[in-house]
């Protein structure tokens, strides 16, 4: 009953959200300059720390939620993440054959080396650990803006300002009013992951819509259906001081697809020299 009630309430909230979408002609549209500033802010980040809460819709319609504490370095890309259950993840671009070090909070209590896009780490996860931070969604939004071209003002709407987490934010909507699915012919050597990266779409959404069992459950010449955009509606709450998002919500034709809430965001904080080392005494690798 609790799960049913939760999903029903979410559905009602989504309906309200879509009903509240303004028409472009009724808004003062400054979305372009705000997004440009957001992109610049993301590019200027060297390191980040934050707490992230996420909610993601699974194949069976359930919304799974969790939270984690994150340390992130942009270049070279390094991620340390501590999950709410105490599990720890360390991933460094170009190290450990691309694998992440994972110390679970349960048996066998030993450090594992796992593919960040493998079946274990990606089970019930929309994104791999390597996409933590803001760069991934910056690329998604930039691709959508570039694709909109001259129709930018019809797709990106500046709704106004609001207070969120006690912080003054800009509210931006990225809207695909004609959102749907179109055929795509799989090329030789492609996987769901490579197709999603090429088109800057959600691999999880492609998997769900085509009822695929894995990222490699396709073959050259096969026709699959891919979404026309990353989502039907992307809602952004952007901190006016840092010009970084505090909330990213993605809705598709069914309603809530995924949502990410960033709290206690610190840009370029002073981190210990071993912040991304297995030898850090705070960690349990």
């Amino acid at each position: 009953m609790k799960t049913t009630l939760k999903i029903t309430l979410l559905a009602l909230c989504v309906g309200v959200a879509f009903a509240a979408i303004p028409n472009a002609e009724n808004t003062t549209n400054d979305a372009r300059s705000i997004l440009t500033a957001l992109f610049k802010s993301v590019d200027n980040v060297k390191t980040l720390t934050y707490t992230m809460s996420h909610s993601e819709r699974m194949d069976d319609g359930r919304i799974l939620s969790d939270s984690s504490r994150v340390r992130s370095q942009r270049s070279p890309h390094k991620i340390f993440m501590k999950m709410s259950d105490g599990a720890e993840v360390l991933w460094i671009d170009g190290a450990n054959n691309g694998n992440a070090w994972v110390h679970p909070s349960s048996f066998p209590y030993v450090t594992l080396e796992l593919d960040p896009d493998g079946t274990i780490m990606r089970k019930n996860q929309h994104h791999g650990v390597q996409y933590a931070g803001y760069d991934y969604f910056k690329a998604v939004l930039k691709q959508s803006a570039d694709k909109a071209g001259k129709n930018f003002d019809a797709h990106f709407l500046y709704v106004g300002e609001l207070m969120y987490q006690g912080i003054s934010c800009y509210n931006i909507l990225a809207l695909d009013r004609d959102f749907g699915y179109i055929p795509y012919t799989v090329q030789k050597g492609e996987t769901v992951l490579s197709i999603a990266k090429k088109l800057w779409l959600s691999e999880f959404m492609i998997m769900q819509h085509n009822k695929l069992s894995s990222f490699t459950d396709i073959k050259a010449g096969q026709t699959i259906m891919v979404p026309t955009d990353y989502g039907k509606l992307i809602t952004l709450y952007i901190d006016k001081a840092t010009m970084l998002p505090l909330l990213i919500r993605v809705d598709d034709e069914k309603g809530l697809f995924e949502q990410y809430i960033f709290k206690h965001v610190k840009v370029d904080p002073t981190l210990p020299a071993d912040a991304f080392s297995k030898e850090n005494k705070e960690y349990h690798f």
Side-chain angles (χ1 to χ4, degrees):
M1 282 294 292
K2 289 183 178 180
T3 300
T4 302
L5 178 60
K6 181 177 181 181
I7 293 175
T8 301
L9 289 173
L10 283 168
L12 288 172
C13 291
V14 169
V16 172
F18 275 102
I21 294 172
N23 293 320
E25 61 268 26
N26 295 329
T27 61
T28 303
N29 197 318
D30 194 30
R32 189 185 296 275
S33 62
I34 293 172
L35 281 182
T36 299
L38 183 154
F39 297 159
K40 183 177 180 181
S41 290
V42 172
D43 288 341
N44 287 338
V45 168
K46 296 180 177 64
T47 58
L48 274 173
T49 61
Y50 57 88
T51 300
M52 183 182 72
S53 300
H54 71 261
S55 299
E56 299 176 335
R57 193 180 71 226
M58 299 296 105
D59 292 340
D60 58 6
R62 290 177 303 149
I63 304 294
L64 296 187
S65 300
D66 202 352
S67 64
S68 58
R69 291 189 290 111
V70 180
R71 286 175 168 176
S72 172
Q73 177 178 296
R74 287 191 69 237
S75 182
H77 197 185
K78 302 177 181 181
I79 300 291
F80 170 78
M81 186 178 295
K82 187 164 187 175
M83 309 304 294
S84 62
D85 65 359
E88 297 174 337
V89 180
L90 177 64
W91 179 83
I92 300 174
D93 189 17
N96 200 27
N97 296 315
N99 293 327
W101 290 281
V102 180
H103 190 279
S105 58
S106 57
F107 184 83
Y109 299 104
V110 295
T111 299
L112 308 172
E113 297 183 6
L114 300 174
D115 179 354
D117 282 320
T119 55
I120 296 177
M121 289 197 70
R122 288 298 301 271
K123 182 179 180 181
N124 294 332
Q125 299 289 333
H126 280 202
H127 302 283
V129 62
Q130 68 272 37
Y131 297 118
Y134 290 119
D135 287 86
Y136 176 80
F137 272 103
K138 174 216 162 183
V140 167
L141 291 167
K142 191 172 187 309
Q143 165 71 7
S144 184
D146 291 345
K147 188 166 62 174
K150 294 180 179 179
N151 295 318
F152 180 92
D153 289 347
H155 289 276
F156 290 87
L157 309 180
Y158 168 55
V159 180
E161 298 182 19
L162 53 79
M163 295 297 293
Y164 184 67
Q165 301 177 24
I167 298 170
S168 184
C169 296
Y170 295 117
N171 185 3
I172 297 288
L173 302 181
L175 176 64
D176 182 350
R177 298 180 189 273
D178 299 317
F179 179 85
Y181 294 83
I182 56 177
Y184 176 89
T185 302
V186 178
Q187 305 300 304
K188 184 178 179 180
E190 286 188 324
T191 66
V192 173
L193 283 170
S194 65
I195 293 170
K197 185 67 176 290
K198 179 171 72 173
L199 303 176
W200 286 109
L201 301 173
S202 166
E203 63 265 23
F204 204 88
M205 192 179 291
I206 295 172
M207 291 269 290
Q208 282 188 344
H209 189 79
N210 292 278
K211 296 179 171 56
L212 302 175
S213 60
S214 70
F215 295 133
T216 57
D217 187 22
I218 55 175
K219 58 184 178 181
Q222 178 181 350
T223 298
I224 61 174
M225 303 300 288
V226 301
T228 54
D229 213 326
Y230 191 88
K232 181 177 179 67
L233 174 67
I234 300 177
T235 302
L236 302 170
Y237 295 169
I238 302 167
D239 184 339
K240 289 176 61 178
T242 65
M243 292 307 296
L244 296 173
L246 297 183
L247 177 141
I248 303 171
R249 172 179 171 135
V250 180
D251 289 88
D252 63 6
E253 78 284 4
K254 297 178 182 178
L256 177 64
F257 178 67
E258 59 187 25
Q259 178 173 278
Y260 305 96
I261 296 172
F262 298 80
K263 297 181 179 179
H264 314 300
V265 178
K266 295 184 179 179
V267 180
D268 297 336
T270 300
L271 295 176
D274 58 357
F276 302 99
S277 170
K278 289 175 59 184
E279 310 308 317
N280 187 314
K281 293 181 179 179
E282 296 178 31
Y283 307 156
H284 299 90
F285 298 108

